[in-house]
Amino acid sequence: AQRVTQPEKLLSVFKGAPVELKCNYSYSGSPELFWYVQYSRQRLQLLLRHISRESIKGFTADLNKGETSFHLKKPFAQEEDSAMYYCALLNAGGTSYGKLTFGQGTILTVHP
Amino acid sequence: ETGVTQSPTHLIKTRGQQVTLRCSSQSGHNTVSWYQQALGQGPQFIFQYYREEENGRGNFPPRFSGLQFPNYSSELNVNALLLGDSALYLCASSTWTGMTDTQYFGPGTRLTVL
């Protein structure tokens, strides 16, 4: 069964510091991974998708199949980055086709 | 471009009742997925609809059912409500073009079962 693990429920950093939100996955096929973000009182929105290889709001994430990880990184955190971050894995086959499996989420707080 | 919308915003029901939640997909999208998000948890996949048929299902009992309409909007129906059904219900729309596409989420419907 596919599974996504975000080991840190809470993460606090100071403005300007580097930040890394961890995500590990378990999936038998070729993984397709996403990071979603939810700012206070806003809907869940896509931050980035690994196949796009884009950098959004300064965030990047590299898929490491050997370590089954998809950690989210930003070199210099900003206060506006404070939010809930979810890592998600897409099931592209079987009876749960189209299913996104989410991790439990990490609450990032960036202090001034 | 209109984003994903959901109605109602909040809903209170009692155990044993039935509820219908509604979702309008983003313009140009033909696929709708539903998720249940309990407090403090990540969203859990309920099912997905494409071309008015259920296209994939998570580990939810049959009392969770859905519909998709020709305009790609969708309904989630839950029968015989339990206290444990209290959650935020999220709808996400996407486009199927022969491969999976990014899912875009609505604001959710907060269901409270008393």
Side-chain angles (χ1 to χ4, degrees):
Chain A
Q2 62 192 72
R3 187 170 62 247
V4 175
T5 303
Q6 294 179 249
E8 301 140 329
K9 187 72 175 176
L10 302 169
L11 185 62
S12 291
V13 299
F14 286 99
K15 178 182 174 181
V19 63
E20 180 178 67
L21 292 88
K22 291 183 167 53
C23 172
N24 289 91
Y25 67 90
S26 172
Y27 186 57
S28 58
S30 182
E32 191 163 347
L33 289 147
F34 303 77
W35 277 98
Y36 281 85
V37 60
Q38 188 166 30
Y39 301 103
S40 180
R41 300 184 187 281
Q42 294 187 27
R43 68 182 63 190
L44 200 58
Q45 56 187 279
L46 178 70
L47 181 62
L48 59 81
R49 178 176 183 177
H50 92 269
I51 64 170
S52 300
R53 295 190 170 276
E54 293 176 313
S55 173
I56 308 295
K57 299 186 179 182
F59 284 97
T60 58
D62 289 319
L63 177 61
N64 186 324
K65 291 186 179 180
E67 296 183 358
T68 60
S69 68
F70 187 57
H71 303 328
L72 183 68
K73 300 177 184 179
K74 185 170 183 177
F76 307 103
Q78 303 299 314
E79 289 179 68
E80 55 265 31
D81 296 329
S82 296
M84 171 73 94
Y85 290 80
Y86 290 100
C87 181
L89 171 66
L90 181 70
N91 185 338
T95 57
S96 297
Y97 183 86
K99 165 185 178 180
L100 279 173
T101 297
F102 285 85
Q104 298 255 35
T106 298
I107 299 171
L108 173 65
T109 303
V110 181
H111 300 283
Chain B
E1 186 180 271
T2 306
V4 180
T5 60
Q6 292 185 246
S7 63
T9 306
H10 297 90
L11 203 52
I12 299 175
K13 292 286 189 178
T14 56
R15 280 180 299 175
Q17 284 189 312
Q18 179 266 342
V19 68
T20 297
L21 310 181
R22 294 178 175 83
C23 170
S24 291
S25 59
Q26 184 168 311
S27 176
H29 287 181
N30 57 13
T31 302
V32 173
S33 304
W34 285 93
Y35 293 82
Q36 180 194 67
Q37 186 174 21
L39 204 59
Q41 304 291 321
Q44 299 278 319
F45 177 76
I46 303 174
F47 43 53
Q48 183 180 84
Y49 276 82
Y50 170 66
R51 288 188 174 178
E52 302 177 48
E53 291 192 0
E54 189 178 288
N55 191 33
R57 189 175 184 95
N59 294 326
F60 281 82
R63 59 189 184 86
F64 286 78
S65 63
L67 285 172
Q68 187 182 31
F69 300 99
N71 66 352
Y72 307 123
S73 66
S74 177
E75 287 182 355
L76 165 65
N77 298 291
V78 187
N79 294 322
L81 284 167
L82 303 173
L83 295 179
D85 295 332
S86 295
L88 181 68
Y89 288 85
L90 298 170
C91 165
S93 74
S94 55
T95 300
W96 168 251
T97 57
M99 60 180 288
T100 53
D101 198 1
T102 300
Q103 295 181 25
Y104 294 88
F105 284 81
T109 294
R110 172 74 62 189
L111 173 64
T112 302
V113 182
L114 302 176

